[in-house]
Amino acid sequence: MSGGFGRYAPSPSSDLHLGNLRTAVVAHLAARRDGLGFRLRLEDLDDRCRPEFARRQLADLTALGLTWDGPVLRQSERPDVYDAAVAELAGRGLVYECYCSRRDILEAPRAPHHPPGAYPGACRRLSAAERSRRRLTKAPAVRLRAEVAQFGVVDRLAGPSLQPVDDFILRRADGLAAYNLAVVVDDAAQGVTQVTRGDDLLTSSGRQSYLASLLGLAPVSYLHLPLVYNAAGRRLSKRDSALAGPALFERLGGPSGVLAAIARSIGLDAPGGPDIRAQMNALLERFDLAALEIGAWTV
Ligand code: GLU
């Protein structure tokens, strides 16, 4: 192992669907093929997450022949680590409290250079007196005081690009660490150097890389994968329960069938072998990231 890890980081708020499982398998193949280790992390911060989904997600990944190194990291067990990162940024004047509701943000006038959905910055300019007044009626979220509007990232499929950065949330008003903060802190804590995930998150990669640079953490390489769509042309979601969990495994004839369908979707023949570990190893021998044929997949 040459050092460094790939990873898969699902949120246990439903069973994994075929799109999630494809991402997990490619993340595993890409890491092992590059001689990296592989980490598993449960992004279980919000209250839609359930222990039974976590158990089933790990069982499904194991059933497909994935193996990971070290313990599974659970974000719900690490509030102190996220608070310490926010405190470090706060000590450098890089955060501010935000009292805006979703509606305030949607209705705020925005500068022309702001990307759609970016925080327009209303609370950035509040005086200390105004902040004390607002704190009496509303718990604040904590935002990053970003000093750039874009940040460069390199994706192994999409190539180099500039992605938007705004004053994104680090800690939510309910006190939980926000996704972008937890991802960056945990990728570093797990030694992750290669991030594989769905390409809906490519537009988050600039925020995360920028935050990593502020925290003095090494940049990661990205592999954002095209998503999987249902027959109605919508990307798979937790509503597609027929393409997730036990129903999916039954429909495709068990783990070997699921792995075979995923293999074919990335341009590889279904792997032979007496058991799932042998089938995963057969895929590993043939997997070549440089020649990866992977497009959106409609199932
Ligand atoms: N937990 C996120 C999800 O399940 C993935 C986050 C990431 O890979 O950075 O969509």
Side-chain angles (χ1 to χ4, degrees):
M1 211 178 281
S2 64
F5 292 84
R7 51 80 152 174
Y8 184 59
S11 304
S13 56
S14 64
D15 282 321
L16 295 172
H17 58 57
L18 193 50
N20 302 135
L21 294 171
R22 170 161 96 152
T23 301
V25 166
V26 175
H28 186 245
L29 292 172
R32 298 282 189 218
R33 187 71 204 190
D34 272 1
L36 303 177
F38 192 66
R39 300 290 203 197
L40 225 289
R41 174 164 83 238
L42 290 169
E43 302 209 322
D44 58 350
L45 281 178
D46 80 51
D47 56 13
R48 286 166 304 177
C49 297
R50 299 268 177 280
E52 63 270 25
F53 288 129
R55 271 195 300 279
R56 278 155 55 170
Q57 290 188 343
L58 297 180
D60 287 353
L61 295 170
T62 303
L64 288 185
L66 274 79
T67 56
W68 49 87
D69 305 303
V72 174
L73 184 149
R74 288 177 161 76
Q75 292 189 326
S76 56
E77 295 172 354
R78 296 164 54 75
D80 300 352
V81 180
Y82 309 129
D83 285 346
V86 174
E88 187 199 324
L89 294 165
R92 291 156 58 194
L94 288 173
V95 311
Y96 62 89
E97 292 181 350
C98 174
Y99 305 87
C100 291
S101 64
R102 211 174 279 271
R103 181 149 177 205
D104 296 332
I105 295 173
L106 285 175
E107 290 176 354
R110 60 191 63 242
H113 63 269
H114 269 142
Y119 181 63
C123 289
R124 190 183 240 244
R125 293 173 288 274
L126 293 182
S127 66
E130 183 66 5
R131 269 202 294 278
S132 313
R133 194 181 67 73
R134 303 243 186 142
R135 221 178 276 136
L136 294 177
T137 54
K138 194 168 187 299
V142 175
R143 287 187 184 273
L144 181 70
R145 190 182 289 279
E147 284 158 351
V148 300
Q150 290 182 313
F151 202 75
V153 296
V154 179
D155 183 275
R156 288 170 78 171
L157 288 177
S161 63
L162 285 171
Q163 296 298 334
V165 176
D166 64 346
D167 288 356
F168 58 89
I169 291 189
L170 301 172
R171 185 161 57 218
R172 302 166 6 167
D174 61 9
L176 290 177
Y179 158 68
N180 282 314
L181 175 79
V183 162
V184 169
V185 168
D186 289 344
D187 278 339
Q190 292 189 287
V192 169
T193 52
Q194 181 187 81
V195 169
T196 303
R197 57 190 182 187
D199 66 10
D200 53 331
L201 290 170
L202 176 62
T203 54
S204 297
S205 57
R207 293 181 180 90
Q208 294 170 10
S209 299
Y210 175 58
L211 180 58
S213 75
L214 290 177
L215 290 169
L217 305 171
V220 295
S221 81
Y222 287 106
L223 181 58
H224 287 97
L225 304 178
L227 298 176
V228 179
Y229 294 85
N230 66 19
R234 276 190 294 275
R235 70 183 217 213
L236 289 194
S237 71
K238 63 176 72 166
R239 284 189 298 279
D240 294 291
S241 52
L243 291 166
L248 172 71
F249 280 78
E250 193 170 317
R251 183 176 172 146
L252 295 184
S256 300
V258 175
L259 193 60
I262 291 171
R264 284 192 290 265
S265 86
I266 58 171
L268 297 177
D269 290 337
D275 58 30
I276 201 74
R277 290 292 273 276
Q279 291 161 22
M280 178 59 88
N281 283 335
L283 279 186
L284 199 47
E285 273 166 31
R286 279 183 260 147
F287 184 80
D288 177 2
L289 192 50
L292 179 63
E293 288 172 32
I294 184 165
W297 182 22
T298 301
V299 291

